[in-house]
Amino acid sequence: MFVDFIFIVGAIFFFLSFISTNIKKSLIYQFISIVFFNLGLYLYGVIEGSLFISFISMLPMIIGFFFKEEIKRVFIKIIPFIAIISFLYLPYDFGTYLTIVGISFSSFAALSNNILKMKILYLCSNIIWLVFDIYIGSIGAIIFDIIGFIGLFLFFMKIFKEKEKWKKDLLLQKV
């Protein structure tokens, strides 16, 4: 029960990260949500997943927030190699593979300079994480993902509703 509460607190920040239209704020909220999510995974008993997720998923957020474009581009090129090495050397398990794919999508999202591209990548990641959370059977984590989907839905509705304003803003952002 306490673990599910941890997931729900993380889900609140997850929701805030997805409705935010500011890349920096989105990354801050995302970072806080992942801290809670990983703590929940650790307490749930997914030790290797939580440790792996903690390091790999938070690093792109830190790089995306603090570092310049050149560093981001280098890290974007490294992500596929990290994923391949992870597939080869981590224990064969469906959950582990879902973790690797989910982290890859969220890493690309965290390093994006385009808010729309970021949210689309987070949508892909969130779908993978939902499958993972159903696989491990965590109600709190499933609620976490559903709240994330609601945040993304509201973000995309805002974009659609104010499409003329966003067309101009999105065209000016790097893709």
Side-chain angles (χ1 to χ4, degrees), residues 42-67:
Y42 180 79
L43 295 172
Y44 204 80
V46 187
I47 309 281
E48 70 282 342
S50 65
L51 295 176
F52 182 73
I53 293 167
S54 293
F55 177 73
I56 299 297
S57 66
M58 291 178 171
L59 186 60
M61 289 177 205
I62 293 167
I63 291 171
F65 189 84
F66 290 109
F67 290 89

Side-chain angles (χ1 to χ4, degrees), residues 48-110:
E48 70 282 342
S50 65
L51 295 176
F52 182 73
I53 293 167
S54 293
F55 177 73
I56 299 297
S57 66
M58 291 178 171
L59 186 60
M61 289 177 205
I62 293 167
I63 291 171
F65 189 84
F66 290 109
F67 290 89
K68 295 187 179 194
E69 191 61 32
E70 299 79 35
I71 303 292
K72 289 181 186 182
R73 278 195 296 261
V74 168
F75 200 76
I76 285 171
K77 291 175 184 171
I78 293 172
I79 293 170
F81 294 107
I82 293 171
I84 290 168
I85 290 168
S86 299
F87 275 119
L88 294 174
Y89 291 103
L90 289 175
Y92 173 76
D93 176 62
F94 182 66
T96 302
Y97 292 156
L98 288 172
T99 300
I100 294 166
V101 174
I103 288 171
S104 296
F105 275 114
S106 62
S107 295
F108 286 122

